[in-house]
Amino acid sequence: MKKLALHWQILLGMVLGVLFALICSNFSWGSSFISDWVKPFGTIFINLLKLIAVPLILASLIKGVSDLKDISKLSLMGFRTIGAYMGTTVIAVSIGLLVVNTIQPGKSITEETRQELITNYSSDAQSKQADAKRQKEAGPLQSLVDIVPSNIVGAASKNTNMLQVIFFAIFFGIGLILIPEQQAKPVKDFFDGFNEVILKLIDIIMLAAPYGVFALLAALVVESPSTDLFKALGMYALSVIIGLLLMILIYILLVWVFTKKTPRFFVNGISPAQLLAFSTSSSAATLPVTMERVEEHLGVEKEVSSFVLPIGATINMDGTSLYQAVAAVFIAQAFGMDLSFGTQLGIIATATLAAIGSAAVPGAGMVMLVIVLAQAGIPEAGLALIFAVDRPLDMCRTTVNVTGDAAVSMIVGKSVGKLNDHPTEKKWDDNYHPISKEKK
């Protein structure tokens, strides 16, 4: 295993996890064995990644902002980052609408299948509707209020409060820029060392990645709904996957055009993070690995990656936005509704804005989908139609989210002159000041 590249180790773990689950499912004890004795190791792996996410954002973002030494650089990078993320989100939603209107998967669902799905998943749909209702009743500026924490310790205690942690880190970094350099130096030195420790912990955690994804995929297979429901939703799932693959091709093209880096270079650099995103369904949990790959394998300097990637993990939900567009039109088709061009333009706007408020954790996109459905006048009960295949599609769209984060970081890095042609890779057992091995 040690001789294989990390992405091959992770891919091997995924394949073996699926095969192991398929074999065990043929025995009466198989499902309970995986749930009781295998799945917990996958949960531990995800918890380790989540454990490191908030300290990583605090350390890397404070260091990245304070290293700019000029607030004008921060605003320049900030506008370019947010502009790039918003642009790719609009492209993603448009691709989703194009694919779903071309394939029209909702028209293949029979009334019998529709009623079966609604019956099986009605309680889940009601729960998501209630969450979305609370969010809508909070007021138009509540999302802005939620960005500013009243207690940073409380905000850092939950990974769902990532925007609040980012706000504090940027605010703290600005404070370091504005005070005399002599007074700021001890604080910056502390966060430099703290950041190195966190990165070393990430290296250690990644040694367990192949085993973690083995457990996660095995548990997913034995907990999946019946095959009959998957067949009924096959065209919907295919529409989402085609849209997501097209979006990845768009990222590769954008990187090629703006940074002159080859598709092979980009895909090889980010593939371990993509596989991990697929296994965990969480951009936030994958963030530590995304940062390591972008810095050490794609050549984006820490000053850029530590600013662009944490923001991307929170507001860049291209895969989620694309899925929301496909799901909304699919549900409308299933209910026999024809959506006007104006309504579909409204879906683009709503899905783009909803992506910013979507937490970087598994299943968060489903809550935001309720808001998209309500805006388009589509029955929210239709959520029950897509719950059966939401988990595997969540894995796919998280992969796209992470790929988008990496692509934008490279583009922003190139635009500000912070993209290295020869990135350096640190080994997991390097010392505090490692002799980096130049990547060939």
Side-chain angles (χ1 to χ4, degrees):
M1 285 285 283
K2 289 182 180 180
K3 295 181 180 179
L4 291 175
L6 179 61
H7 61 280
W8 290 117
Q9 293 183 36
I10 294 174
L11 192 60
L12 182 61
M14 293 167 66
V15 172
L16 291 177
V18 171
L19 292 176
F20 181 73
L22 291 174
I23 294 172
C24 288
S25 62
N26 292 319
F27 301 94
S28 58
W29 49 267
S31 296
S32 59
F33 174 79
I34 289 177
S35 296
D36 294 340
W37 296 98
V38 177
K39 183 180 179 180
F41 292 101
T43 304
I44 290 170
F45 178 64
I46 291 180
N47 288 346
L48 283 171
L49 289 169
K50 289 181 178 179
L51 169 70
I52 222 74
V54 170
L56 175 67
I57 286 177
L58 280 172
S60 62
L61 202 49
I62 289 172
K63 182 181 184 303
V65 171
S66 62
D67 284 347
L68 293 175
K69 298 180 181 178
D70 186 351
I71 292 180
S72 63
K73 290 184 180 179
L74 177 63
S75 61
L76 176 66
M77 194 185 300
F79 282 124
R80 291 184 181 182
T81 299
I82 294 173
Y85 282 142
M86 295 291 281
T88 56
T89 301
V90 171
I91 292 172
V93 180
S94 301
I95 288 175
L97 290 176
L98 177 65
V99 171
V100 74
N101 281 294
T102 301
I103 298 177
Q104 297 187 331
K107 295 187 176 179
S108 63
I109 289 187
T110 63
E111 180 64 27
E112 181 182 357
T113 301
R114 183 185 303 130
Q115 292 303 320
E116 181 182 359
L117 288 166
I118 289 175
T119 300
N120 289 346
Y121 295 96
S122 59
S123 60
D124 289 335
Q126 289 170 3
S127 170
K128 299 299 182 184
Q129 289 176 47
D131 291 342
K133 184 178 179 181
R134 284 194 296 272
Q135 189 157 343
K136 287 176 66 178
E137 290 175 348
L141 296 180
Q142 186 60 42
S143 58
L144 188 63
V145 173
D146 290 340
I147 292 175
V148 183
S150 60
N151 185 329
I152 184 56
V153 177
S157 67
K158 293 183 180 179
N159 282 2
T160 52
N161 294 333
M162 209 65 84
L163 261 180
Q164 295 184 348
V165 177
I166 289 172
F167 173 85
F168 175 81
I170 294 174
F171 198 35
F172 194 95
I174 291 172
L176 281 176
I177 293 175
L178 295 177
I179 66 174
E181 188 172 346
Q182 186 177 358
Q183 293 176 321
K185 189 177 185 303
V187 181
K188 291 179 66 175
D189 288 344
F190 168 78
F191 280 106
D192 284 348
F194 185 50
N195 190 52
E196 288 293 335
V197 172
I198 297 300
L199 293 176
K200 187 56 61 182
L201 293 179
I202 293 168
D203 290 340
I204 296 171
I205 292 170
M206 286 310 297
L207 294 176
Y211 310 101
V213 299
F214 172 91
L216 291 168
L217 267 292
L220 178 66
V221 170
V222 299
E223 293 174 357
S224 297
S226 66
T227 55
D228 291 339
L229 296 181
F230 274 121
K231 289 177 182 178
L233 295 173
M235 291 301 291
Y236 159 70
L238 180 64
S239 300
V240 175
I241 291 171
I242 289 174
L244 295 176
L245 288 174
L246 287 174
M247 196 61 210
I248 288 180
L249 290 177
I250 293 290
Y251 291 139
I252 293 173
L253 181 62
L254 289 173
V255 169
W256 196 8
V257 169
F258 286 101
T259 71
K260 309 303 180 186
K261 298 295 185 181
T262 65
R264 182 178 180 181
F265 173 83
F266 178 67
V267 172
N268 286 344
I270 198 60
S271 53
Q274 289 176 319
L275 293 170
L276 198 62
F278 182 82
S279 304
T280 63
S281 297
S282 173
S283 305
T286 313
L287 178 60
V289 181
T290 308
M291 294 186 73
E292 185 266 339
R293 300 301 300 186
V294 165
E295 291 169 12
E296 297 184 19
H297 298 264
L298 296 181
V300 180
E301 292 187 17
K302 188 181 291 290
E303 182 179 311
V304 174
S305 64
S306 62
F307 178 81
V308 176
L309 291 176
I311 292 176
T314 308
I315 71 170
N316 181 45
M317 298 290 165
D318 291 348
T320 303
S321 300
L322 187 150
Y323 136 83
Q324 288 171 349
V326 174
V329 177
F330 166 74
I331 291 170
Q333 292 172 351
F335 281 105
M337 299 171 61
D338 289 321
L339 299 180
S340 67
F341 179 72
T343 301
Q344 297 201 30
L345 285 179
I347 289 175
I348 292 177
T350 308
T352 300
L353 295 173
I356 297 174
S358 182
V361 293
M366 189 66 76
V367 175
M368 307 313 297
L369 177 58
V370 176
I371 297 174
V372 175
L373 293 176
Q375 181 276 331
I378 302 169
E380 288 96 332
L383 278 177
L385 297 174
I386 61 174
F387 262 104
V389 291
D390 183 65
R391 176 61 174 167
L393 291 181
D394 194 10
M395 299 161 71
C396 296
R397 60 185 184 251
T398 304
T399 304
V400 171
N401 294 342
V402 168
T403 307
D405 294 345
V408 169
S409 70
M410 289 188 71
I411 293 169
V412 172
K414 181 69 173 180
S415 72
V416 297
K418 299 290 183 180
L419 184 64
N420 297 321
D421 291 330
H422 302 288
T424 53
E425 177 186 354
K426 297 177 184 177
K427 301 302 181 181
W428 79 271
D429 56 351
D430 283 340
N431 293 325
Y432 182 81
H433 296 292
I435 300 174
S436 300
K437 180 181 177 182
E438 187 172 13
K439 189 181 176 187
K440 304 297 183 185

